[in-house]
Amino acid sequence: SYVLTQPPSVSVAPGRTARITCGGINIGSKGVHWYQQKPDQAPVLVIYYDTDRPSGIPERFSGSNSGNTATLTISRVEAGDEADYYCQVGDTGSDPYVVFGGGTKLTVL
Amino acid sequence: EVQLVESGGGLVKPGGSLRLSCAASGFSFTYAWMNWVRQAPGKGLEWVGRFTSKSDGGTTDYAAPVKGRFTFSRDDSKNTFYVQMNSLKSEDTAVYYCATGDGATVGLDYWGQGTLVTVSP
């Protein structure tokens, strides 16, 4: 099955830029989605299909995807961005699946 | 406003059964692909499986760890999505979320608040 690899943790100072990576073989050929999960809350979709933001998600959240790495970028990080972030890919074809990365804990220093 | 409300969680012994429900409102449930995603205590997200809309075939897909033990169903007249969980194991202990979306082109765009299933003697 397809494997997504995320760093367990990323730390960033307020106001700086955080980058969270998601590695997978030829992930650039797939659509990558990103979720934010705060403690004791359900996940929230923050980026879908590599770069698109659902309504209500701040422009500070952006995504990119190329080669073997997808990246979630959070600009001008705020204390409220501290959370776990998960990448995800899926397929609806002849071999359907949905897979999540292991998650990255973003700490705002 | 989209709402997904899970219910039916609780404590069950190994080998037992449980049925979870996900009541949906605020969107056209008939055309929605519905998923179950679980999260074991202190762990990451794990996709359990999905039920496509009737217009897209009304098919089900299951993750390997639950195939043959879990069964999804949906009642479009009641806007409700279900999972029947049989032969439960301790490793099935998790918060179970229902979520909409195909997981491929649009991701999983709306999630419920989750319901806790604990499998323990």
Side-chain angles (χ1 to χ4, degrees), chain A residues 31 33 35 37 41-45 48-49 86 88-93 96-102, chain B residues 33 35 37 39 43-47 50 61 97 102-114:
Chain A
H33 318 291
Y35 303 86
Q37 186 181 32
Q41 295 186 21
V44 172
L45 181 68
Y48 66 97
Y49 216 79
Y86 295 89
Q88 179 254 309
V89 299
D91 196 288
T92 60
Y97 68 92
V98 170
V99 64
F100 291 93
Chain B
W33 290 33
N35 300 261
V37 177
Q39 187 170 36
K43 301 298 185 182
L45 301 173
E46 179 186 22
W47 182 69
R50 70 181 162 214
D61 298 303
Y97 298 99
D102 66 11
T105 56
V106 298
L108 303 178
D109 44 6
Y110 295 101
W111 297 63
Q113 85 289 349

Side-chain angles (χ1 to χ4, degrees), chain B residues 42-86:
Chain B
K43 301 298 185 182
L45 301 173
E46 179 186 22
W47 182 69
V48 176
R50 70 181 162 214
F51 203 129
T52 66
S53 64
K54 183 181 273 188
S55 60
D56 288 316
T59 57
T60 52
D61 298 303
Y62 297 90
V66 307
K67 204 165 189 176
R69 300 188 298 121
F70 289 13
T71 302
F72 305 137
S73 60
R74 60 189 294 165
D75 186 338
D76 288 355
S77 69
K78 295 183 178 178
N79 287 359
T80 305
F81 179 47
Y82 305 95
V83 56
Q84 176 67 42
M85 304 186 294
N86 298 331

